[in-house]
Amino acid sequence: MMVRKTMVAAWLKTAKAGETIVYARATFLPVRSEVAAMLREAAEHGHVVLYRERRMHGPGEENFRYVAKRTAKPLPGQVYMVREVPPLPAAKPQDKRFNGTAALQRDIAPQVRGLMAEGVRSGSAIARALGLYSAQPVYSLMRKMAA
């Protein structure tokens, strides 16, 4: 089994550093495989790291999984946009001991927006990143932002 060349090309353009794709499951790669040649060239330029894993159990005749792992080096002509995330406050919001959550939500709103822009979608994960005792203010803020 080998994936199509178009699928690997699309993966190369959209994959983030550390993401992997299994591009073949076989005992050996075909000599004239366009997919393997394209990935070898990408590996020579430092865009991916290629390796194979031995298959231990299960049905089928293939013995290896051929895997490509994306590195952080951008493809030629590809530009990564880096978002500026506001720095965390020097003191944690709960150290101010607010009685109401509205003031706390105003304090954490820029950091929550920044973490959500980076792809963090879990309210409890955002609360842990901000060092909050409870995730409730983050959930309330996320509901307000969604409305």
Side-chain angles (χ1 to χ4, degrees):
M1 186 281 315
M2 257 182 115
V3 298
R4 292 186 309 260
K5 185 177 177 181
T6 55
M7 180 183 244
V8 174
W11 176 81
L12 276 172
K13 292 177 185 174
T14 60
K16 295 178 182 155
E19 289 185 14
T20 61
I21 185 172
V22 177
Y23 63 94
R25 285 194 308 251
T27 302
F28 59 89
L29 287 176
V31 176
R32 296 176 192 222
S33 167
E34 291 180 6
V35 172
M38 181 175 63
L39 285 171
R40 278 193 297 269
E41 183 180 342
E44 289 173 4
H45 294 292
H47 303 296
V48 294
V49 175
L50 301 177
Y51 61 94
R52 66 182 183 180
E53 298 173 338
R54 182 175 292 278
R55 200 177 81 133
M56 295 298 171
H57 302 290
E61 298 180 6
E62 64 270 358
N63 293 329
F64 297 105
R65 292 175 57 212
Y66 291 86
V67 183
K69 184 176 183 180
R70 187 73 166 91
T71 62
K73 185 176 180 182
L75 295 172
Q78 187 177 27
V79 177
Y80 287 119
M81 291 181 58
V82 178
R83 292 182 185 247
E84 185 65 33
V85 178
L88 292 173
K92 293 181 181 176
Q94 70 268 14
D95 292 339
K96 297 178 183 177
R97 304 289 187 237
F98 288 116
N99 289 334
T101 59
L104 177 61
Q105 288 175 2
R106 279 193 304 274
D107 285 349
I108 64 171
Q111 288 82 19
V112 170
R113 284 189 189 98
L115 289 168
M116 289 180 73
E118 289 179 0
V120 180
R121 296 287 181 232
S122 169
S124 58
I126 293 173
R128 279 193 303 272
L130 295 177
L132 297 173
Y133 293 128
S134 169
Q136 190 57 40
V138 176
Y139 288 128
S140 298
L141 183 62
M142 290 172 76
R143 278 193 296 273
K144 287 181 182 177
M145 289 169 39

